[in-house]
Amino acid sequence: MVSSVPRLVIAAPSSGSGKTTVATGLMAALSARGFAVSPHKVGPDYIDPGYHSLATGRVGRNLDAYLCGPELVAPLFAHGARGCDVAVVEGVMGLYDGAAGQGELASTAHVAKLLRAPVVLVVDASSQSRSVAALVHGFVSWDPEVRVGGVILNKVASDRHEALLREALESVGVPVLGALRRAAPVETPSRHLGLVPVAERGASAVGAVDAMAARVADGCDLSALVALARSAGPLHGAGWDAGEALASSPPPPVPSPTLGFARAGGPPSSLGAPPPDPRSALDGPRPQTPDGLDDAGRAVRVAVAGGSAFTFSYAEHAELLSAAGAEVVAFDPLRDEELPKGTAGLVIGGGFPEVYASELSANESLRKAVAELALSGAPVAAECAGLLYLCRELDGLPMCGVLDASARMSERLTLGYRDAVAVSDSALAGAGTRMRGHEFHRTVVEPGAGAAPAWGMRAPERRVEGFVERGVHASYLHTHWASEPGVARRFVERCRTS
């Protein structure tokens, strides 16, 4: 199968150059002109895709070559872009910045090459004129496999400034596709983890996206940008499909008691040889179709936390749960006083419970319902914000009390990719399951790991982290289940049998 969806990647020399404004504004401007726009974000970020979704009316999707592997980038893109007229991919950091110490892996340039997509370089042109040519020339020539098809100049001071910049860039041979005047920044408030998510801003987020769209429409050649997108090379291979991914995924690995990690949050022992590859531990025949039905033949109900406090999730997680036979139902821990009726399992992803600690704590009836479900042995998968919610307290305020741990805000930002292995058998992953993830928080949980930790981190440092208790799997680690679809099948099966 060949995908020929027109596409382009919006990149920049560094963070802060205006990628989000240009990418989101371009998505909204093209949508306003009748294009069905597929929005994508390079890297693990959860917040920008929310603005992309608002701009396009479609789910914003991530393309992360570290979390999911390079081989899944094009299939996941094709899955999200199916039926669209054009796709816009917002890059991450600088064009060539990727996973630390691993070359181009997971960089915007890497993803652009995997997608065979042209790149538009957004350049902060303030305080320079002719030097812009040297800057752009360097990015164009650094990797000949990356096709920089145009430049958008940002923070241009005047007509005279724009003329000087355009004249300088003529020698580079890269067309200028837009020039955005220096102006008051679009209102996109930030806090300790970046932009405030769309779900928390309401009408003001709509106004911000409209302002980005107007700025891009006024300053950029939309026809030329669409023409550039149409020059992207064909992508060969089928788009990702949750059902097919489940059918072809291996069963969980056989639990191993000797993975080389210390328990109880202590320092890891010598790891020795790498843990076994879960794909080599086939324990009996693999079922060809997922079975998420209860004893009465009904789909088991999995409740997924949402609302303003829990906005971090990848769309593929719910799709995999549904493909595994679950009925996925959303609930809002800030507003709902009880779990959805018939809940058999619970997924609590990332977000900002520290911002809403008072409101979450005040919803005592839901906290008790979550605790009762967890204590019954039902599967509960909690990542980062979910981990904090399950703790005994957060910044001194009572939480669900599922875990005998306390959480608090911290001045230190914990951020980065992680290479992890499950060290305890759980409802989410069998011991020995290898997954890559990322951490992104300014909080601390004490203790950092339970008697049965969730993960052993292999890189960048070796340590254990998280909690496995009864059916609960709680950790700071954000993972992308498309990289290991079997975790969704395992979770739904545990929901059915617990």
Side-chain angles (χ1 to χ4, degrees):
M1 183 180 297
V2 178
S3 174
S4 57
V5 176
R7 56 198 175 276
L8 49 80
V9 175
I10 305 298
S14 65
S15 296
S17 299
K19 289 191 306 292
T20 299
T21 295
V22 171
T24 306
L26 179 60
M27 293 173 189
L30 292 178
S31 295
R33 284 155 179 76
F35 288 88
V37 181
S38 181
H40 303 266
K41 170 68 179 179
V42 177
D45 175 61
Y46 294 102
I47 298 175
D48 288 346
Y51 286 86
H52 299 170
S53 182
L54 192 60
T56 65
R58 297 177 65 90
V59 174
R61 295 180 183 269
N62 296 72
L63 301 172
D64 195 308
Y66 184 91
L67 294 185
C68 297
E71 69 280 359
L72 276 183
V73 167
L76 286 170
F77 167 83
H79 169 62
R82 187 176 289 116
C84 287
D85 301 316
V86 65
V88 178
V89 181
E90 180 185 346
V92 62
M93 300 186 294
L95 175 58
Y96 295 108
D97 300 323
Q102 301 197 48
E104 71 171 3
L105 178 63
S107 66
T108 301
H110 187 203
V111 170
K113 290 194 285 188
L114 292 170
L115 295 179
R116 304 188 69 191
V119 172
V120 175
L121 196 67
V122 179
V123 176
D124 179 349
S126 59
S127 303
Q128 62 178 313
S129 58
R130 189 165 178 263
S131 295
V132 74
L135 175 69
V136 173
H137 173 74
F139 276 84
V140 169
S141 60
W142 178 261
D143 184 345
E145 294 183 17
V146 175
R147 179 162 66 97
V148 178
V151 173
I152 292 177
L153 301 168
N154 193 24
K155 300 182 182 178
V156 177
S158 63
D159 290 345
R160 173 61 176 162
H161 187 203
E162 180 178 343
L164 291 172
L165 293 167
R166 287 180 178 272
E167 180 182 3
L169 286 169
E170 287 178 359
S171 64
V172 181
V174 178
V176 176
L177 301 180
L180 307 185
R181 285 289 188 271
R182 184 182 301 162
V186 175
E187 186 184 356
T188 50
S190 299
R191 58 178 179 226
H192 59 286
L193 293 182
L195 296 180
V196 175
V198 163
E200 299 183 47
R201 298 189 58 202
S204 65
V206 176
V209 170
D210 287 345
M212 294 180 203
R215 188 170 293 185
V216 169
D218 289 345
C220 296
D221 186 340
L222 298 184
S223 296
L225 286 164
V226 171
L228 179 62
R230 287 173 175 159
S231 73
L235 290 178
H236 298 277
W240 183 84
D241 177 86
E244 293 176 0
L246 284 171
S248 60
S249 65
V254 176
S256 170
T258 57
L259 294 178
F261 290 92
R263 298 295 201 267
S269 59
S270 176
L271 298 184
D277 183 346
R279 289 173 174 76
S280 67
L282 304 183
D283 184 21
R286 174 182 53 78
Q288 295 301 306
T289 55
D291 181 6
L293 304 181
D294 63 15
D295 293 338
R298 297 167 299 197
V300 295
R301 177 166 285 190
V302 175
V304 177
S308 296
F310 298 95
T311 56
F312 293 4
S313 66
Y314 296 126
E316 291 80 6
H317 290 199
E319 292 168 352
L320 284 164
L321 289 169
S322 296
E327 178 192 2
V328 179
V329 182
F331 74 103
D332 185 348
L334 291 175
R335 300 177 181 275
D336 297 328
E337 296 183 353
E338 57 185 35
L339 291 170
K341 186 177 180 180
T343 294
L346 188 59
V347 176
I348 314 174
F352 292 97
E354 62 269 29
V355 175
Y356 297 95
S358 296
E359 294 93 328
L360 291 170
S361 184
N363 193 349
E364 185 176 359
S365 61
L366 183 66
R367 290 193 289 110
K368 288 182 176 179
V370 170
E372 289 173 0
L373 183 73
L375 291 173
S376 75
V380 179
E383 288 185 352
C384 200
L387 166 66
L388 306 186
Y389 187 52
L390 296 184
C391 284
R392 184 179 61 254
E393 63 179 11
L394 171 57
D395 285 336
L397 296 171
M399 291 292 126
C400 295
V402 173
L403 304 174
D404 187 16
S406 63
R408 58 178 172 80
M409 286 289 291
S410 169
E411 293 296 322
R412 179 174 179 268
L413 174 63
T414 300
L415 171 68
Y417 285 125
R418 306 288 185 258
D419 182 7
V421 57
V423 295
S424 305
D425 197 60
S426 73
L428 188 66
T433 301
R434 290 281 298 276
M435 292 191 77
R436 286 180 163 182
H438 70 100
E439 288 188 82
F440 184 41
H441 58 90
R442 284 189 186 269
T443 58
V444 174
V445 169
E446 297 170 333
W455 300 107
M457 303 298 184
R458 295 173 51 79
E461 60 185 19
R462 300 191 176 194
R463 59 186 171 89
V464 292
E465 187 269 341
F467 303 79
V468 172
E469 297 181 10
R470 301 181 181 86
V472 174
H473 183 287
S475 165
Y476 268 123
L477 191 69
H478 293 287
T479 58
H480 199 303
W481 292 1
S483 69
E484 190 66 44
V487 300
R489 183 178 61 220
R490 179 186 180 92
F491 187 81
V492 173
E493 174 63 18
R494 292 292 180 92
C495 291
R496 186 181 71 81
T497 57
S498 64

